[in-house]
Amino acid sequence: MPSAKILEQKKAVVAELTEKIKNATAGVVVNYSGITVENDTKLRAELRKANVEYKVYKNTLTARACEEAGLEGLKDQFEGMTAIAISSEDPIAPAKILKEYADKIETFEIKAGFLDGAVMDKEQVLALADIPSKEILIGRIVGSLMSSLYGFAYGLQAIIDKNGEGAAEAAETTEA
């Protein structure tokens, strides 16, 4: 049986992780075995740039935190070498970055995830990773709106040009 001091430390870790999970928009659980130190450093740097927290916790503590956060479906994923990436801002960033590394490194594997309090399996996380970023989606929407506005403006200009030419010719015929 652990001492009271160690038990309190573990409870504090679980409470902190539970809060992070509750406040997160999305998270991804991965099996990080087989990743080199160099690739792990690059991965962590990329996740940090995207404001994603990536950390290795004890599996029992992470499972307990997920259970307390209402994500009981993730409890079974915490076996072996497991890490969790949590994002409180961009729901797509952890899935997208981790999928990139899972494609590069054969033993690095996405296990599951969560999005807005709902548990996702591996396939759903991979589908989420394939969604374009928020900036790209906004650009596409603005582009489609602009193209229809340009079309409308060109149509109006064509009518003005046609009526302008016809009005000038009509004025010349009335003078003659």
Side-chain angles (χ1 to χ4, degrees), residues 39 47 52 90 106 123-124 133-134 143 152 162 164 169:
N39 283 335
L47 288 167
V52 176
D90 186 358
E106 199 172 302
E123 287 74 30
Q124 291 171 320
S133 69
K134 183 178 179 180
F152 181 67
K162 184 178 177 185
E169 291 174 10

Side-chain angles (χ1 to χ4, degrees), residues 98-164:
L98 292 170
K99 180 184 183 286
E100 183 181 314
Y101 278 84
D103 290 343
K104 285 186 213 174
I105 303 165
E106 199 172 302
T107 56
F108 189 85
E109 174 190 13
I110 293 176
K111 293 174 120 181
F114 64 92
L115 178 66
D116 293 327
V119 176
M120 298 186 305
D121 62 12
K122 179 180 178 177
E123 287 74 30
Q124 291 171 320
V125 173
L126 294 175
L128 181 66
D130 291 334
I131 294 174
S133 69
K134 183 178 179 180
E135 292 79 18
I136 292 173
L137 290 174
I138 290 172
R140 287 182 183 173
I141 290 171
V142 169
S144 65
L145 291 173
M146 292 298 291
S147 68
S148 60
L149 288 175
Y150 282 136
F152 181 67
Y154 289 137
L156 285 177
Q157 188 62 45
I159 292 171
I160 290 170
D161 290 346
K162 184 178 177 185
N163 288 341

Side-chain angles (χ1 to χ4, degrees), residues 25-40:
T25 57
V28 177
V29 178
V30 296
N31 176 355
Y32 66 91
S33 63
I35 190 168
T36 64
V37 173
E38 180 184 347
N39 283 335
D40 189 51

